[in-house]
Amino acid sequence: MAVHHRIDPRPARFAGALAATALATVLVPAPALAAAAPSVDRPAYCSSATHPELADRLSRDIADAVRGRQSTLALAVRDSDTGLSCFLDPARHFDSASIVKVTIMGAVLRIAQDENRPLTPFEEENLRPMITRSDNDAAVRLWKYVGMARMQTFLDLAGMHDTVLSADGFGLTRVTAGDELKQLDVYTVNPDVLTPEHRSYGLQLMAEVEPDQRWGTPFGAPPDVTTHVKNGWLQRATHGWRVHSLGIFTGPDRLYQIAVLTDDDPTESYGIGTIQRISQQIHRDLADCADHAEGGRARVAPGAPDVTAPEIGDGSVPAVRER
């Protein structure tokens, strides 16, 4: 979906909580949840058999968030509590940039699981920097260690049938928002790929991503939410900047997941802004629904600090390829 009016709010980067098991719902001012009937010019991105008003409201709010944005984007959202799911162009392909590191991590964990052994020092020493600070040297080492055949086996196990591995480097793997939601399922609701211990390990690393890389889908989440995040950002000669963000939000009786992929962004900051406009609405509406159901008093989640993105790619593709 491409629209062409530039509104470029300065992006914010959010430092999330580090504990992998504590989460509370986003709490925001709670007007009546009932939504007006969807307008014919607003796509029905979201659905929920049990919470149709929430689905209608979030569809409207997503449409408002993307209106006027230059970015080409896709998204996938799932909230386990309400049965809500949202999709916008979920089969569109994007260069993965560094979000494929979550897939590399999953493949490494699956190898250890299949071999019925703990992670080796080599695996642990590369997994942590690859996820928490998006270290590309660590990613290259693990990409080569796993190999294309075992990477494909992992994709098949996860049901990520639209993802296309790249022979030209991990960052050019072709991904879709629909498959990235399945990727997030591997660490949450899909019991067939990783054990609970391996899922917890992966979630912990994603909860410990460095503060300056916690922008995107965490934006609008409250400070007592455990945010598990991995982002990717890459500039190429065609389609401008690719800027992506994956987020898992967990806690007592709460689990929801957000994947937003973009390209055609004129700058990295612009792509972050697009993702954060969408994510803020998702957090707000899900929180409003939870607060309404619990009959509690809403609290406004504070905003994140205003930090300008450095406009430097994540290095997942060597710069020489773009000359």
Side-chain angles (χ1 to χ4, degrees), residues 98-323:
S98 282
I99 61 171
V100 76
K101 291 169 181 173
V102 178
T103 311
I104 298 171
M105 175 171 65
V108 172
L109 294 174
R110 179 68 195 205
I111 290 169
Q113 181 175 310
D114 286 343
E115 295 178 357
N116 194 27
R117 59 165 174 80
L119 291 169
T120 66
F122 168 82
E123 290 166 340
E124 287 196 296
E125 289 167 5
N126 285 284
L127 282 171
R128 175 165 292 278
M130 180 182 71
I131 297 299
T132 62
R133 64 172 187 266
S134 206
D135 184 276
N136 290 304
D137 291 336
V140 169
R141 286 189 288 270
L142 290 174
W143 177 262
K144 292 179 178 178
Y145 162 71
V146 174
M148 297 291 274
R150 292 194 294 188
M151 285 294 302
Q152 187 61 54
T153 296
F154 176 81
L155 293 176
D156 293 341
L157 287 170
M160 298 170 65
H161 302 305
D162 290 331
T163 299
V164 182
L165 298 171
S166 172
D168 295 324
F170 65 86
L172 293 181
T173 295
R174 300 287 284 168
V175 299
T176 68
D179 267 11
E180 290 308 303
L181 190 61
K182 294 177 183 177
Q183 171 71 93
L184 299 180
D185 285 348
V186 166
Y187 295 92
T188 53
V189 298
N190 183 347
D192 299 327
V193 184
L194 298 177
T195 66
E197 292 77 16
H198 287 110
R199 292 200 300 269
S200 178
Y201 181 90
L203 285 173
Q204 182 66 39
L205 290 187
M206 292 174 70
E208 295 177 0
V209 166
E210 294 183 348
D212 66 348
Q213 294 183 20
R214 299 184 68 82
W215 43 263
T217 52
F219 187 72
D224 52 356
V225 164
T226 299
T227 296
H228 316 267
V229 64
K230 185 70 192 81
N231 295 325
W233 57 104
L234 170 66
Q235 184 182 32
R236 301 194 71 199
T238 57
H239 296 291
W241 280 86
R242 294 97 166 102
V243 184
H244 315 316
S245 184
L246 308 178
I248 298 172
F249 306 89
T250 61
D253 301 317
R254 294 294 291 133
L255 168 63
Y256 59 102
Q257 303 165 176
I258 305 172
V260 186
L261 313 181
T262 76
D263 61 20
D264 293 315
D265 299 305
T267 66
E268 181 191 358
S269 294
Y270 187 89
I272 293 172
T274 296
I275 294 169
Q276 293 188 165
R277 286 166 64 98
I278 297 166
S279 299
Q280 185 176 46
Q281 293 299 331
I282 294 168
H283 289 299
R284 178 176 295 158
D285 288 352
L286 291 180
D288 193 9
C289 179
D291 181 74
H292 182 79
E294 294 170 4
R297 187 177 66 180
R299 291 177 286 116
V300 178
D306 186 29
V307 180
T308 301
E311 306 301 336
I312 299 173
D314 61 17
S316 57
V317 175
V320 68
R321 296 190 182 277
E322 305 309 317
R323 293 174 184 168

Side-chain angles (χ1 to χ4, degrees), residues 71-94:
S71 306
T72 297
L73 64 96
L75 67 84
V77 179
R78 182 180 294 122
D79 175 46
S80 295
D81 186 52
T82 62
L84 176 88
S85 60
C86 304
F87 295 99
L88 190 166
D89 215 354
R92 177 185 287 274
H93 278 94
F94 298 79

